[in-house]
Amino acid sequence: MPSFYLHQGFAGQQIRANPWKPTQFIISSSQNFGVVGSGKVYVVEAAGGFAGGAPVQLVGCWGTSDGAFDACFNETDPNVVVVACGDGSKVYNLAQSLNQNQAQPLVHNREHMQEVSCAVWHAAKRDSYFTASWDTTIKLFSVANPMQSVATLQGHMKEVYEVSTTARSPFSILSCSGDGTWKLWDLRTPQAPVLSQFAHQNQIVLSVDFNKQDPNLFASGGVDRTVRIWDARRPNQPLASLPGHDQACRRVRFSPHSRTLLASSGYDMRVCVWDLNSPQRPMVGRYQQHREFVVGLEWSPAVPNALATTSFDGTAFFLTVGQAPVPSPPVPLPPAIPPPRVAMPRSKVLPGLPSPGMPFGGPMPMPGSPPRSPR
Protein backbone atom coordinates (compact mmCIF):
# COMPACT_ATOMS: atom_id res chain seq x y z
CA MET A 1 0.00 0.00 0.00
CA PRO A 2 2.13 2.91 -1.20
CA SER A 3 1.80 6.46 0.05
CA PHE A 4 2.89 9.88 -1.21
CA TYR A 5 4.01 12.94 0.77
CA LEU A 6 3.14 16.48 -0.26
CA HIS A 7 5.43 19.45 0.30
CA GLN A 8 5.84 20.28 3.97
CA GLY A 9 3.10 22.54 5.31
CA PHE A 10 0.56 21.67 2.61
CA ALA A 11 -2.74 19.98 3.44
CA GLY A 12 -4.28 17.59 0.94
CA GLN A 13 -7.75 18.75 -0.14
CA GLN A 14 -8.98 16.45 -2.91
CA ILE A 15 -7.80 13.60 -5.14
CA ARG A 16 -9.26 12.54 -8.50
CA ALA A 17 -8.35 9.91 -11.09
CA ASN A 18 -7.11 10.74 -14.58
CA PRO A 19 -9.70 9.46 -17.10
CA TRP A 20 -7.02 9.30 -19.79
CA LYS A 21 -4.66 7.22 -17.70
CA PRO A 22 -6.51 5.52 -14.83
CA THR A 23 -3.34 4.76 -12.86
CA GLN A 24 -2.69 8.50 -12.50
CA PHE A 25 -4.26 10.83 -9.94
CA ILE A 26 -4.35 14.59 -9.45
CA ILE A 27 -4.07 15.94 -5.90
CA SER A 28 -4.97 19.49 -4.85
CA SER A 29 -3.55 21.02 -1.67
CA SER A 30 -3.24 24.25 0.25
CA GLN A 31 -1.17 25.91 2.94
CA ASN A 32 -2.61 26.39 6.41
CA PHE A 33 -5.63 24.16 5.68
CA GLY A 34 -6.74 26.70 3.06
CA VAL A 35 -7.20 29.58 5.49
CA VAL A 36 -4.38 31.69 4.01
CA GLY A 37 -1.48 31.08 1.66
CA SER A 38 -0.87 29.38 -1.66
CA GLY A 39 -1.66 25.96 -3.09
CA LYS A 40 -0.01 23.13 -4.97
CA VAL A 41 -1.28 20.63 -7.52
CA TYR A 42 0.34 17.21 -7.97
CA VAL A 43 0.00 14.60 -10.71
CA VAL A 44 1.14 11.19 -9.45
CA GLU A 45 1.47 7.74 -11.02
CA ALA A 46 0.44 4.60 -9.13
CA ALA A 47 1.11 2.14 -11.97
CA GLY A 48 2.89 -0.27 -9.61
CA GLY A 49 -0.46 -1.31 -8.19
CA PHE A 50 -2.09 -0.57 -4.86
CA ALA A 51 -1.24 -3.85 -3.17
CA GLY A 52 2.31 -4.40 -4.34
CA GLY A 53 3.91 -1.58 -2.38
CA ALA A 54 5.65 -0.12 -5.45
CA PRO A 55 6.41 3.56 -4.88
CA VAL A 56 4.08 6.23 -6.19
CA GLN A 57 5.90 8.31 -8.79
CA LEU A 58 5.53 12.06 -9.06
CA VAL A 59 4.75 13.01 -12.66
CA GLY A 60 4.99 16.69 -11.76
CA CYS A 61 3.60 19.52 -9.66
CA TRP A 62 3.12 23.28 -9.70
CA GLY A 63 2.14 26.05 -7.32
CA THR A 64 -1.03 28.13 -7.34
CA SER A 65 -1.32 31.68 -6.04
CA ASP A 66 -4.13 30.75 -3.63
CA GLY A 67 -5.20 27.49 -2.03
CA ALA A 68 -6.15 24.67 -4.44
CA PHE A 69 -9.28 22.86 -3.20
CA ASP A 70 -10.09 20.59 -6.14
CA ALA A 71 -8.76 19.69 -9.59
CA CYS A 72 -9.97 17.57 -12.48
CA PHE A 73 -8.71 16.54 -15.89
CA ASN A 74 -10.27 17.90 -19.06
CA GLU A 75 -12.06 14.93 -20.67
CA THR A 76 -11.59 16.25 -24.20
CA ASP A 77 -7.87 17.06 -23.89
CA PRO A 78 -5.49 15.00 -21.72
CA ASN A 79 -3.06 17.92 -21.41
CA VAL A 80 -5.48 20.29 -19.67
CA VAL A 81 -6.78 20.43 -16.08
CA VAL A 82 -9.19 22.69 -14.21
CA VAL A 83 -8.32 23.74 -10.66
CA ALA A 84 -10.71 25.19 -8.05
CA CYS A 85 -8.83 27.84 -6.08
CA GLY A 86 -9.43 30.39 -3.40
CA ASP A 87 -9.11 33.14 -6.01
CA GLY A 88 -11.20 31.60 -8.79
CA SER A 89 -11.21 28.66 -11.20
CA LYS A 90 -8.14 28.16 -13.36
CA VAL A 91 -7.33 26.17 -16.49
CA TYR A 92 -3.76 24.87 -16.83
CA ASN A 93 -1.81 23.21 -19.62
CA LEU A 94 0.22 20.37 -18.10
CA ALA A 95 3.20 20.74 -20.42
CA GLN A 96 3.45 24.43 -19.49
CA SER A 97 2.87 23.87 -15.77
CA LEU A 98 4.46 20.66 -14.47
CA ASN A 99 7.61 21.45 -12.50
CA GLN A 100 7.68 25.00 -13.84
CA ASN A 101 8.43 27.89 -11.53
CA GLN A 102 5.44 30.21 -11.18
CA ALA A 103 3.20 28.31 -13.62
CA GLN A 104 0.58 30.60 -15.12
CA PRO A 105 -2.93 29.39 -15.99
CA LEU A 106 -4.26 29.52 -19.53
CA VAL A 107 -7.48 30.95 -18.10
CA HIS A 108 -8.19 32.49 -14.70
CA ASN A 109 -11.95 32.89 -14.29
CA ARG A 110 -13.06 35.14 -11.43
CA GLU A 111 -16.84 34.96 -11.84
CA HIS A 112 -17.32 33.36 -8.43
CA MET A 113 -17.35 35.98 -5.71
CA GLN A 114 -15.80 33.72 -3.06
CA GLU A 115 -13.48 30.74 -3.09
CA VAL A 116 -14.19 27.85 -5.44
CA SER A 117 -14.68 24.59 -3.54
CA CYS A 118 -15.26 22.10 -6.34
CA ALA A 119 -14.35 21.52 -9.99
CA VAL A 120 -15.86 18.48 -11.67
CA TRP A 121 -16.10 17.37 -15.27
CA HIS A 122 -19.49 16.60 -16.80
CA ALA A 123 -19.50 12.79 -16.92
CA ALA A 124 -22.11 12.62 -19.71
CA LYS A 125 -21.40 15.73 -21.80
CA ARG A 126 -17.64 15.86 -21.87
CA ASP A 127 -17.45 19.25 -23.50
CA SER A 128 -18.28 21.01 -20.23
CA TYR A 129 -17.50 21.19 -16.52
CA PHE A 130 -18.92 22.62 -13.29
CA THR A 131 -17.53 24.72 -10.48
CA ALA A 132 -19.11 25.29 -7.07
CA SER A 133 -18.34 28.06 -4.64
CA TRP A 134 -18.81 29.44 -1.18
CA ASP A 135 -20.73 32.27 -2.88
CA THR A 136 -23.74 29.81 -2.94
CA THR A 137 -23.66 29.29 -6.73
CA ILE A 138 -22.78 26.56 -9.24
CA LYS A 139 -21.47 27.50 -12.67
CA LEU A 140 -21.46 25.51 -15.90
CA PHE A 141 -18.58 26.14 -18.31
CA SER A 142 -18.02 25.06 -21.89
CA VAL A 143 -14.62 23.85 -23.06
CA ALA A 144 -15.00 26.17 -26.03
CA ASN A 145 -15.13 29.28 -23.82
CA PRO A 146 -13.92 28.85 -20.22
CA MET A 147 -13.66 32.63 -19.86
CA GLN A 148 -17.43 32.93 -19.36
CA SER A 149 -19.91 30.54 -17.78
CA VAL A 150 -22.77 29.10 -19.81
CA ALA A 151 -25.18 29.03 -16.86
CA THR A 152 -25.31 29.87 -13.16
CA LEU A 153 -27.38 27.65 -10.87
CA GLN A 154 -28.74 29.55 -7.86
CA GLY A 155 -30.79 27.82 -5.21
CA HIS A 156 -28.61 27.16 -2.19
CA MET A 157 -28.70 29.62 0.69
CA LYS A 158 -25.15 28.93 1.89
CA GLU A 159 -21.80 27.70 0.59
CA VAL A 160 -21.86 24.87 -1.97
CA TYR A 161 -19.39 22.11 -1.15
CA GLU A 162 -19.68 19.64 -3.98
CA VAL A 163 -21.30 18.83 -7.31
CA SER A 164 -21.75 15.33 -8.72
CA THR A 165 -22.61 14.32 -12.29
CA THR A 166 -23.57 10.98 -13.81
CA ALA A 167 -22.69 9.47 -17.18
CA ARG A 168 -26.15 7.88 -17.31
CA SER A 169 -28.12 11.12 -17.30
CA PRO A 170 -26.81 14.07 -19.35
CA PHE A 171 -29.08 16.63 -17.71
CA SER A 172 -28.90 15.63 -14.03
CA ILE A 173 -26.48 16.99 -11.44
CA LEU A 174 -26.43 16.91 -7.64
CA SER A 175 -25.19 19.55 -5.23
CA CYS A 176 -24.85 19.87 -1.46
CA SER A 177 -24.45 22.82 0.82
CA GLY A 178 -23.98 24.38 4.21
CA ASP A 179 -27.70 25.15 4.13
CA GLY A 180 -28.32 21.50 5.08
CA THR A 181 -29.73 20.35 1.74
CA TRP A 182 -28.86 18.30 -1.28
CA LYS A 183 -30.43 19.46 -4.53
CA LEU A 184 -31.06 17.67 -7.81
CA TRP A 185 -30.94 19.86 -10.93
CA ASP A 186 -32.14 19.38 -14.50
CA LEU A 187 -29.90 21.38 -16.80
CA ARG A 188 -32.76 21.91 -19.24
CA THR A 189 -34.41 24.07 -16.56
CA PRO A 190 -31.47 25.44 -14.55
CA GLN A 191 -33.45 28.27 -12.98
CA ALA A 192 -34.35 26.12 -9.96
CA PRO A 193 -33.65 22.61 -8.67
CA VAL A 194 -36.19 19.89 -9.41
CA LEU A 195 -35.69 18.30 -5.97
CA SER A 196 -34.42 19.68 -2.68
CA GLN A 197 -34.15 17.83 0.60
CA PHE A 198 -32.87 18.56 4.10
CA ALA A 199 -30.64 15.53 4.37
CA HIS A 200 -28.71 15.28 7.64
CA GLN A 201 -30.92 16.50 10.46
CA ASN A 202 -30.72 20.05 9.05
CA GLN A 203 -26.96 20.00 9.48
CA ILE A 204 -24.33 20.79 6.85
CA VAL A 205 -24.15 18.39 3.89
CA LEU A 206 -20.50 18.08 2.87
CA SER A 207 -20.55 15.57 0.02
CA VAL A 208 -22.77 13.90 -2.59
CA ASP A 209 -22.07 11.22 -5.19
CA PHE A 210 -24.18 9.45 -7.81
CA ASN A 211 -24.19 5.67 -7.97
CA LYS A 212 -22.17 4.82 -11.08
CA GLN A 213 -24.61 2.09 -12.19
CA ASP A 214 -27.99 3.58 -11.26
CA PRO A 215 -28.60 7.34 -11.73
CA ASN A 216 -31.57 7.22 -9.35
CA LEU A 217 -29.35 6.30 -6.41
CA PHE A 218 -26.88 8.58 -4.68
CA ALA A 219 -25.11 9.02 -1.36
CA SER A 220 -24.55 11.98 0.92
CA GLY A 221 -22.28 12.67 3.88
CA GLY A 222 -22.78 15.28 6.55
CA VAL A 223 -21.82 16.92 9.79
CA ASP A 224 -24.24 14.61 11.62
CA ARG A 225 -21.55 11.90 11.16
CA THR A 226 -23.66 9.67 8.92
CA VAL A 227 -23.59 8.43 5.35
CA ARG A 228 -27.04 8.37 3.78
CA ILE A 229 -28.31 6.56 0.70
CA TRP A 230 -31.08 8.14 -1.38
CA ASP A 231 -33.41 7.22 -4.24
CA ALA A 232 -34.47 10.24 -6.30
CA ARG A 233 -37.82 8.55 -6.97
CA ARG A 234 -38.57 8.55 -3.22
CA PRO A 235 -36.62 11.56 -1.97
CA ASN A 236 -38.41 12.34 1.29
CA GLN A 237 -36.55 9.74 3.34
CA PRO A 238 -33.15 8.08 2.88
CA LEU A 239 -33.07 4.42 1.95
CA ALA A 240 -30.42 3.91 4.61
CA SER A 241 -28.49 5.87 7.23
CA LEU A 242 -25.05 4.47 7.96
CA PRO A 243 -23.39 5.50 11.25
CA GLY A 244 -19.69 4.75 11.40
CA HIS A 245 -17.81 8.03 11.66
CA ASP A 246 -17.08 9.66 15.00
CA GLN A 247 -16.99 13.11 13.46
CA ALA A 248 -18.33 14.76 10.30
CA CYS A 249 -18.34 12.68 7.12
CA ARG A 250 -16.47 14.82 4.59
CA ARG A 251 -16.52 12.69 1.43
CA VAL A 252 -18.61 9.86 -0.07
CA ARG A 253 -17.80 7.91 -3.23
CA PHE A 254 -19.55 5.01 -4.98
CA SER A 255 -17.28 2.43 -6.59
CA PRO A 256 -17.11 2.47 -10.42
CA HIS A 257 -16.87 -1.33 -10.31
CA SER A 258 -19.84 -2.19 -8.10
CA ARG A 259 -23.40 -0.94 -7.65
CA THR A 260 -23.33 -1.63 -3.91
CA LEU A 261 -19.80 -0.69 -2.81
CA LEU A 262 -19.36 2.73 -1.23
CA ALA A 263 -16.51 4.50 0.58
CA SER A 264 -16.58 7.45 2.96
CA SER A 265 -14.00 9.53 4.80
CA GLY A 266 -14.20 12.10 7.51
CA TYR A 267 -12.93 14.43 10.17
CA ASP A 268 -12.38 11.45 12.47
CA MET A 269 -9.34 10.57 10.28
CA ARG A 270 -11.08 7.39 9.14
CA VAL A 271 -11.94 5.80 5.82
CA CYS A 272 -14.96 3.49 5.86
CA VAL A 273 -16.02 0.98 3.20
CA TRP A 274 -19.64 -0.11 2.94
CA ASP A 275 -21.38 -2.94 1.10
CA LEU A 276 -25.06 -2.16 0.65
CA ASN A 277 -25.75 -5.83 -0.08
CA SER A 278 -25.18 -6.49 3.62
CA PRO A 279 -27.81 -4.32 5.35
CA GLN A 280 -27.28 -5.95 8.76
CA ARG A 281 -23.53 -5.26 8.78
CA PRO A 282 -22.85 -2.89 5.90
CA MET A 283 -19.39 -1.73 7.05
CA VAL A 284 -16.84 -4.10 5.53
CA GLY A 285 -13.71 -2.09 6.29
CA ARG A 286 -12.46 0.82 8.35
CA TYR A 287 -8.98 2.33 8.08
CA GLN A 288 -7.12 5.00 9.99
CA GLN A 289 -3.89 5.54 8.10
CA HIS A 290 -4.06 9.34 8.32
CA ARG A 291 -3.29 11.64 11.26
CA GLU A 292 -5.66 14.43 10.26
CA PHE A 293 -8.99 15.02 8.50
CA VAL A 294 -9.40 12.76 5.44
CA VAL A 295 -10.95 15.16 2.94
CA GLY A 296 -10.02 13.57 -0.40
CA LEU A 297 -11.30 10.18 -1.53
CA GLU A 298 -11.37 8.36 -4.88
CA TRP A 299 -11.83 4.80 -6.10
CA SER A 300 -9.29 3.55 -8.60
CA PRO A 301 -10.90 3.14 -12.04
CA ALA A 302 -8.11 0.71 -12.98
CA VAL A 303 -7.95 -1.56 -9.91
CA PRO A 304 -11.16 -2.95 -8.33
CA ASN A 305 -11.42 -2.54 -4.54
CA ALA A 306 -8.61 0.04 -4.49
CA LEU A 307 -8.91 3.50 -2.93
CA ALA A 308 -6.87 6.69 -3.02
CA THR A 309 -7.10 9.14 -0.10
CA THR A 310 -5.56 12.44 0.87
CA SER A 311 -5.62 14.33 4.14
CA PHE A 312 -4.83 17.52 5.99
CA ASP A 313 -1.76 15.64 7.26
CA GLY A 314 -0.07 16.19 3.88
CA THR A 315 -0.12 12.58 2.69
CA ALA A 316 -1.94 10.53 0.07
CA PHE A 317 -2.47 6.78 0.49
CA PHE A 318 -3.26 4.18 -2.15
CA LEU A 319 -4.80 1.15 -0.47
CA THR A 320 -6.57 -2.09 -1.29
CA VAL A 321 -9.73 -2.89 0.65
CA GLY A 322 -9.01 -5.69 3.11
CA GLN A 323 -5.31 -4.91 3.48
CA ALA A 324 -3.68 -2.70 6.09
CA PRO A 325 -2.27 0.57 4.71
CA VAL A 326 1.51 0.86 5.10
CA PRO A 327 3.26 4.18 4.38
CA SER A 328 6.13 4.47 1.92
CA PRO A 329 9.32 6.41 2.67
CA PRO A 330 9.08 10.08 1.66
CA VAL A 331 10.90 11.13 -1.51
CA PRO A 332 12.36 14.56 -2.38
CA LEU A 333 10.04 16.83 -4.37
CA PRO A 334 10.93 19.58 -6.85
CA PRO A 335 10.06 23.15 -5.84
CA ALA A 336 6.66 24.40 -6.93
CA ILE A 337 6.69 28.19 -6.68
CA PRO A 338 3.27 29.87 -6.91
CA PRO A 339 2.72 32.96 -9.06
CA PRO A 340 1.91 36.25 -7.31
CA ARG A 341 -1.40 36.20 -5.50
CA VAL A 342 -4.40 38.30 -6.50
CA ALA A 343 -6.45 38.99 -3.37
CA MET A 344 -10.12 37.95 -3.23
CA PRO A 345 -12.58 38.15 -0.34
CA ARG A 346 -12.30 35.22 2.04
CA SER A 347 -15.32 33.07 2.84
CA LYS A 348 -17.01 32.77 6.17
CA VAL A 349 -15.98 30.08 8.58
CA LEU A 350 -17.44 26.63 9.22
CA PRO A 351 -17.61 24.38 12.27
CA GLY A 352 -15.58 21.28 12.84
CA LEU A 353 -12.17 22.40 11.61
CA PRO A 354 -8.83 23.28 13.23
CA SER A 355 -7.88 26.79 14.18
CA PRO A 356 -5.49 28.67 11.87
CA GLY A 357 -1.95 27.68 12.69
CA MET A 358 -2.94 24.54 14.59
CA PRO A 359 -0.31 21.86 13.93
CA PHE A 360 -1.21 18.55 12.30
CA GLY A 361 -2.45 16.16 14.93
CA GLY A 362 -3.71 18.98 17.15
CA PRO A 363 -6.96 18.87 19.12
CA MET A 364 -9.94 17.81 17.02
CA PRO A 365 -13.00 20.05 17.50
CA MET A 366 -16.36 18.35 17.41
CA PRO A 367 -18.69 18.98 14.45
CA GLY A 368 -21.26 21.59 15.30
CA SER A 369 -18.90 23.42 17.66
CA PRO A 370 -18.48 27.19 17.23
CA PRO A 371 -16.90 28.25 13.92
CA ARG A 372 -13.13 28.54 13.98
CA SER A 373 -11.71 28.45 10.44
CA PRO A 374 -12.61 27.72 6.82
CA ARG A 375 -13.00 24.19 5.42
Side-chain angles (χ1 to χ4, degrees):
M1 260 62 61
S3 63
F4 177 79
Y5 294 80
L6 312 183
H7 286 85
Q8 185 174 2
F10 282 80
Q13 295 283 354
Q14 178 60 297
I15 186 166
R16 293 190 187 269
N18 181 350
W20 299 93
K21 192 171 184 181
T23 55
Q24 281 189 0
F25 294 83
I26 188 166
I27 305 169
S28 49
S29 70
S30 59
Q31 283 182 310
N32 303 307
F33 312 107
V35 180
V36 293
S38 62
K40 294 189 193 296
V41 181
Y42 303 80
V43 178
V44 299
E45 174 69 56
F50 285 60
V56 176
Q57 301 293 326
L58 175 68
V59 177
C61 60
W62 70 92
T64 59
S65 56
D66 209 317
F69 302 114
D70 200 356
C72 64
F73 279 90
N74 182 321
E75 296 202 14
T76 62
D77 186 338
N79 297 308
V80 175
V81 300
V82 179
V83 182
C85 292
D87 56 355
S89 61
K90 302 176 184 181
V91 179
Y92 288 90
N93 179 282
L94 290 179
Q96 298 173 9
S97 303
L98 290 176
N99 301 326
Q100 300 297 316
N101 286 343
Q102 298 189 344
Q104 296 291 337
L106 299 175
V107 174
H108 184 177
N109 186 288
R110 297 184 176 89
E111 285 188 39
H112 283 297
M113 300 305 294
Q114 294 188 31
E115 60 192 76
V116 184
S117 54
C118 175
V120 61
W121 214 260
H122 197 316
K125 299 182 68 176
R126 299 186 176 182
D127 60 350
S128 56
Y129 63 93
F130 297 90
T131 60
S133 171
W134 282 39
D135 67 4
T136 76
T137 69
I138 302 156
K139 291 185 180 289
L140 170 63
F141 289 90
S142 167
V143 171
N145 182 21
M147 287 296 297
Q148 185 174 0
S149 60
V150 175
T152 298
L153 283 63
Q154 295 179 301
H156 284 293
M157 301 303 293
K158 292 186 178 180
E159 60 281 342
V160 182
Y161 279 99
E162 191 163 53
V163 170
S164 178
T165 72
T166 171
R168 297 179 178 270
S169 179
F171 302 110
S172 297
I173 72 164
L174 280 167
S175 61
C176 64
S177 167
D179 63 13
T181 68
W182 57 254
K183 297 185 187 296
L184 180 66
W185 306 79
D186 186 326
L187 295 178
R188 292 167 294 191
T189 56
Q191 298 81 11
V194 294
L195 287 176
S196 182
Q197 179 65 38
F198 284 96
H200 287 263
Q201 302 179 56
N202 295 333
Q203 298 188 57
I204 295 166
V205 187
L206 295 167
S207 184
V208 285
D209 191 49
F210 275 110
N211 186 291
K212 306 303 186 289
Q213 314 298 326
D214 186 342
N216 293 304
L217 299 180
F218 58 93
S220 64
V223 167
D224 69 345
R225 312 179 190 184
T226 67
V227 176
R228 297 196 171 193
I229 312 301
W230 302 85
D231 188 328
R233 296 163 296 190
R234 298 182 290 276
N236 292 332
Q237 294 291 333
L239 296 180
S241 182
L242 307 175
H245 287 283
D246 290 341
Q247 295 196 39
C249 175
R250 181 62 180 90
R251 201 75 67 181
V252 290
R253 288 291 182 268
F254 270 106
S255 168
H257 305 285
S258 168
R259 184 178 183 272
T260 62
L261 203 59
L262 174 73
S264 61
S265 65
Y267 292 172
D268 57 0
M269 302 176 282
R270 289 174 176 165
V271 175
C272 297
V273 181
W274 314 85
D275 187 346
L276 304 183
N277 270 341
S278 305
Q280 299 303 315
R281 292 187 175 180
M283 186 185 293
V284 295
R286 187 161 67 178
Y287 307 92
Q288 196 162 345
Q289 69 270 27
H290 288 290
R291 297 178 294 106
E292 266 290 356
F293 299 161
V294 187
V295 293
L297 180 69
E298 180 84 318
W299 288 94
S300 167
V303 183
N305 298 322
L307 282 166
T309 64
T310 192
S311 164
F312 274 14
D313 65 10
T315 66
F317 272 80
F318 302 81
L319 64 97
T320 300
V321 175
Q323 300 184 25
V326 178
S328 306
V331 297
L333 297 176
I337 302 172
R341 183 175 182 272
V342 177
M344 282 186 68
R346 270 313 199 186
S347 306
K348 57 187 174 183
V349 296
L350 274 191
L353 297 179
S355 299
M358 181 183 293
F360 294 139
M364 301 289 289
M366 298 297 291
S369 61
R372 300 205 292 185
S373 72
R375 306 239 160 250

